[in-house]
Amino acid sequence: MDNMSLYLTIALAPLVGSLLAGLFGKQIGRAGAHSVTILSVAVSTVLSAYVLWGFIDGSRSKFDENVYTWLTMGGLDFSVGFLVDSLTAMMMVVVTSVSLMVHIYTIGYMHDEETGYQRFFSYISLFTFSMLMLVMSNNFVQLFFGWEAVGLVSYLLIGFYFKRESAIFANLKAFLVNRVGDFGFLLGIGLVLAYFGGSLRYADVFAYLPNVQHATIQLFPGVEWSLMTVTCLLLFIGAMGKSAQFPLHVWLPDSMEGPTPISALIHAATMVTAGLFMVSRMSPMYELSTTALSVIMVVGAITALFMGFLGVIQNDIKRVVAYSTLSQLGYMTVALGASAYSIAMFHVMTHAFFKALLFLAAGSAIIGMHHDQDMRHMGNLKKYMPITWITMLLGNLALIGTPFFSGFYSKDSIIEAAHASTLPGSGFAYFAVLASVFVTAFYAFRQYFMVFHGKEKWRELPEHHDDHHGDEHHHGLGKNDNPHESPWVVTLPLILLAIPSVVIGYFAIEPMLYGDFFKDAIYVNTEEHPTMALLKEEFHGPLAMVMHSFYTPVLYLALAGVVAAWFLYVKAPHLPAKIVAAFQPVYKLLDNKYYLDVLYYNVFAKGSRALGTFFWKAIDTAIIDNGIVNGSAKMVGAVAAQVRKMQTGFIYTYAAAMVFGVLVLLGMTFWHLFAG
């Protein structure tokens, strides 16, 4: 198989599975739908791993070719093509392997669904295809296609339970917020097309950069802006939407309305990593704008810290993990701002595995609780669900950056990068990521202790928690019911995801960060931004990094967070309620998510509707319809009504009118004579 055929197979296999499950779902049945989609994604996974191994052992080289040209307009070619290098190969493996685990897991999670089973498998395979097209593209047009495709399929998946009001609101919110980001992204692509040599192919754009690195543009008359800075910031606005950065983050927590497998897929391997991947891919451009990098770093720092705070007060098991995603995406964005693109992508990889693990483990706990997601109704689940318990513990240990776990190597590297950076805003970024260590450890283990330790709280509920949530599941355990471990189709993905969550950081840190793994994929101007060069000097192997952590505050902040969570939720469970009562204004602020949703809904959403209503009633109805269209018709009618009174049918009337006319003409003639 030649390279082109190989890459086409990787990209198109999930699409084939999606079409079979979606169009022929009734014919092939439930088993057929999950079989074809799992098989197609498995093919992509195996072949992606084969490609990545080729880059690891040096037998495979960078591939950048067009498949075909689908439009030529004014000398500009719009092509479909693949750019496969070490960065792409890593993303392909992450996307396909996590997606495969989610596909297998879904068989168990969606087992009781009476309708939509085939449709769901079709959607998640289509999601995988969309993401592969995004990461494998070699031009901005195809990138934008993949970008919009993941947005579209996320809309379908978040609103999977389309009879549920909250799901309808959530998918609409995700769609609209992403359109805001995508508008900025499209403007950025427009600037690239207009000023960067008239090509949208990455290689051509990067080759043209020396010609425009000092160019300026006038957005307002008389005000000069750096073309590079404006372009980079507009592209980053797209990343802010997709990768849920402040203030375009509001859609991500609500995406929990989709079934748990989809939450895992959106949050771990696909969609949210698209923006981070894009910035890393565009590293030659971002390296020419220190201003853009500074903005990226500050935005990431705000997201990392302030979204972490929101995770502390959540009681829905999935929402805790959702806010954890927001915070971790902030970490990755800080790394991008510090010109540590390789560290950001390293954290993308490690985070994909342990975040997918955490979501799927949370889903397993939800299955055990008969689809009750409230952590206040759980407790002591480790007694009944040992596999879920141990895998969730491993995922949380990776998340908080425990030494030797994958999250430790990527997260600590980001903190060190923020510390080493000299860009404006790096001081705040370092403080934010450092403080987030404590916050992350606290909310992660608050969740862990509430779910797996303490009293079996569902037995103490005043009445049986029984409601219907729109998806027709029976919710909650009875007082005499016991949870049970999930079936093997659920626990197997947990075990398989737990392995890389623990070990992959140890083996991958040296080649990915300080070796030449990304040498052809990521460009860093070490003279202007020496962060990675400084970190390389300080790095002496993964074991030495662990030893070094004992002399830094990071480890002790994480430990303090775990101890605080243990004390408040195991040792003294009565205290949290007292703390909430004592700090009611702070709790209210966090509970209302800093009132950003209120602001967006009441100012932007209602304001847009009010503006639309005004233009409809004042301009369209009053001026155009009633004034110009109907008004002109009424005026003609009124004039005609008066004129027709002169049509009497009598000769003397017409004679009088003629005499009157002659007199008017004579009067005008004499007037001109005497006036002249």
Side-chain angles (χ1 to χ4, degrees):
M1 187 186 289
D2 64 340
N3 284 332
M4 183 62 80
S5 303
L6 174 64
Y7 299 138
L8 276 169
T9 306
I10 292 171
L12 295 178
L15 179 62
V16 171
S18 173
L19 291 173
L20 288 171
L23 299 177
F24 306 102
K26 286 185 178 177
Q27 289 81 352
I28 62 177
R30 290 164 68 100
H34 70 232
S35 298
V36 293
T37 51
I38 289 171
L39 181 64
S40 63
V41 174
V43 167
S44 284
T45 307
V46 171
L47 294 178
S48 297
Y50 169 68
V51 170
L52 180 62
W53 183 253
F55 282 105
I56 292 170
D57 70 8
S59 63
R60 188 168 291 276
S61 57
K62 182 176 177 179
F63 178 90
D64 185 2
E65 287 184 25
N66 288 340
V67 179
Y68 74 98
T69 301
W70 61 273
L71 177 66
T72 300
M73 185 174 66
L76 178 67
D77 291 335
F78 294 94
S79 302
V80 175
F82 294 138
L83 166 59
V84 181
D85 54 16
S86 52
L87 176 62
T88 308
M90 186 271 288
M91 285 298 295
M92 282 157 59
V93 169
V94 168
V95 169
T96 53
S97 57
V98 171
S99 177
L100 180 60
M101 295 300 104
V102 167
H103 275 71
I104 297 168
Y105 176 95
T106 301
I107 298 172
Y109 191 86
M110 304 291 282
H111 182 264
D112 297 330
E113 292 290 333
E114 292 178 8
T115 58
Y117 186 86
Q118 293 96 313
R119 175 166 59 93
F120 188 82
F121 274 96
S122 177
Y123 286 173
I124 54 178
S125 275
L126 187 60
F127 205 48
T128 310
F129 161 73
S130 304
M131 194 65 194
L132 285 170
M133 289 301 286
L134 190 156
V135 298
M136 293 173 75
S137 64
N138 73 343
N139 61 83
F140 281 96
V141 174
Q142 192 176 327
L143 173 72
F144 191 70
F145 164 76
W147 197 267
E148 292 301 307
V150 290
L152 171 65
V153 187
S154 74
Y155 174 83
L156 298 171
L157 285 164
I158 294 166
F160 180 77
Y161 298 123
F162 53 82
K163 293 182 180 178
R164 199 191 290 174
E165 285 293 328
S166 55
I168 297 167
F169 185 78
N171 70 354
L172 194 60
K173 187 177 179 182
F175 193 75
L176 291 175
V177 171
N178 271 282
R179 294 295 71 72
V180 174
D182 293 354
F183 181 64
F185 189 58
L186 198 57
L187 289 175
I189 294 174
L191 283 182
V192 170
L193 180 59
Y195 292 99
F196 289 70
S199 172
L200 288 172
R201 188 167 173 168
Y202 300 155
D204 298 338
V205 172
F206 297 160
Y208 196 79
L209 288 178
N211 301 316
V212 289
Q213 69 181 92
H214 302 299
T216 57
I217 186 173
Q218 285 194 14
L219 298 180
F220 307 103
V223 183
E224 298 285 341
W225 295 72
S226 164
L227 173 64
M228 198 58 66
T229 298
V230 172
T231 306
C232 288
L233 285 176
L234 284 171
L235 291 172
F236 180 64
I237 289 172
M240 285 165 69
K242 276 288 176 288
S243 295
Q245 294 300 292
F246 176 88
L248 298 181
H249 65 277
V250 293
W251 67 271
L252 195 61
D254 288 353
S255 68
M256 298 299 93
E257 289 296 332
T260 297
I262 226 30
S263 306
L265 203 52
I266 289 177
H267 285 247
T270 56
M271 195 154 170
V272 293
T273 62
L276 303 156
F277 168 80
M278 184 275 297
V279 174
S280 297
R281 175 62 76 208
M282 303 302 146
S283 58
M285 293 173 67
Y286 281 90
E287 284 301 287
L288 296 174
S289 177
T290 300
T291 306
L293 289 174
S294 210
V295 169
I296 290 171
M297 186 183 281
V298 170
V299 166
I302 293 169
T303 309
L305 182 58
F306 290 96
M307 297 305 115
F309 286 141
L310 297 181
V312 169
I313 65 153
Q314 301 301 319
N315 292 314
D316 183 318
I317 187 171
K318 281 170 65 178
R319 280 189 179 266
V320 176
V321 192
Y323 280 108
S324 157
T325 302
L326 279 172
S327 184
Q328 296 305 305
L329 290 169
Y331 270 91
M332 299 169 204
T333 308
V334 166
L336 294 174
S339 290
Y341 307 96
S342 54
I343 298 179
M345 295 317 294
F346 182 44
H347 196 49
V348 163
M349 179 186 72
T350 60
H351 174 263
F353 291 117
F354 65 70
K355 186 52 53 75
L357 172 61
L358 285 169
F359 264 114
L360 298 186
S364 179
I366 293 167
I367 295 170
M369 291 297 299
H370 284 207
H371 293 270
D372 186 355
Q373 295 181 191
D374 196 327
M375 297 191 299
R376 294 168 296 184
H377 302 160
M378 302 181 189
N380 199 31
L381 289 191
K382 70 179 177 78
K383 178 180 173 184
Y384 305 99
M385 307 179 75
I387 299 173
T388 304
W389 162 63
I390 196 72
T391 50
M392 188 108 176
L393 177 60
L394 293 171
N396 274 324
L397 288 170
L399 170 64
I400 71 169
T402 309
F404 293 109
F405 283 72
S406 62
F408 163 77
Y409 293 103
S410 53
K411 199 170 173 180
D412 270 39
S413 298
I414 293 173
I415 296 168
E416 287 175 16
H419 186 53
S421 177
T422 55
L423 289 182
S426 58
F428 167 68
Y430 179 61
F431 163 75
V433 292
L434 209 55
S436 295
V437 172
F438 173 82
V439 176
T440 303
F442 181 78
Y443 67 63
F445 275 83
R446 169 183 177 266
Q447 177 205 45
Y448 169 75
F449 289 127
M450 284 179 78
V451 173
F452 294 103
H453 292 267
K455 295 180 180 176
E456 297 175 3
K457 292 184 272 297
W458 71 90
R459 301 191 194 280
E460 299 174 0
L461 294 175
E463 58 187 31
H464 182 208
H465 186 60
D466 186 14
D467 62 0
H468 291 272
H469 222 266
D471 52 346
E472 307 196 351
H473 281 314
H474 167 77
H475 283 253
L477 291 171
K479 289 185 179 183
N480 300 316
D481 295 337
N482 290 328
H484 53 84
E485 186 62 271
S486 302
W488 72 267
V489 286
V490 170
T491 54
L492 179 65
L494 295 182
I495 296 164
L496 292 176
L497 285 167
I499 297 165
S501 299
V502 177
V503 303
I504 200 163
Y506 183 90
F507 295 106
I509 183 168
E510 196 157 355
M512 284 183 71
L513 269 52
Y514 307 110
D516 57 1
F517 184 73
F518 287 133
K519 68 175 188 298
D520 296 326
I522 290 171
Y523 167 76
V524 179
N525 182 354
T526 49
E527 290 181 10
E528 291 282 328
H529 309 122
T531 303
M532 286 306 295
L534 294 170
L535 293 186
K536 190 174 182 177
E537 288 175 14
E538 294 174 8
F539 183 77
H540 302 292
L543 199 60
M545 190 171 170
V546 171
M547 299 311 295
H548 176 69
S549 69
F550 290 98
Y551 303 97
T552 65
V554 180
L555 180 61
Y556 300 102
L557 283 166
L559 189 62
V562 174
V563 170
W566 170 81
F567 181 76
L568 288 172
Y569 292 92
V570 177
K571 197 74 178 169
H574 62 283
L575 278 181
K578 291 183 177 179
I579 295 168
V580 167
F583 295 95
Q584 194 62 33
V586 177
Y587 178 80
K588 198 172 177 182
L589 179 69
L590 296 176
D591 194 41
N592 286 284
K593 304 174 230 175
Y594 307 116
Y595 293 97
L596 280 172
D597 279 1
V598 175
L599 174 73
Y600 289 163
Y601 185 70
N602 289 310
V603 175
F604 292 106
K606 284 190 174 178
S608 302
R609 287 194 65 179
L611 199 64
T613 304
F614 168 75
F615 280 116
W616 161 45
K617 290 188 174 178
I619 308 294
D620 190 43
T621 305
I623 296 175
I624 296 173
D625 287 353
N626 294 338
I628 298 172
V629 179
N630 296 338
S632 60
K634 285 177 180 175
M635 188 176 74
V636 169
V639 170
Q642 298 305 315
V643 169
R644 77 170 175 235
K645 290 177 181 177
M646 298 170 65
Q647 303 290 334
T648 61
F650 297 109
I651 292 174
Y652 62 79
T653 306
Y654 302 140
M658 289 171 67
V659 169
F660 179 74
V662 169
L663 288 172
V664 170
L665 287 170
L666 285 170
M668 289 173 66
T669 305
F670 283 113
W671 172 264
H672 283 296
L673 284 171
F674 289 118

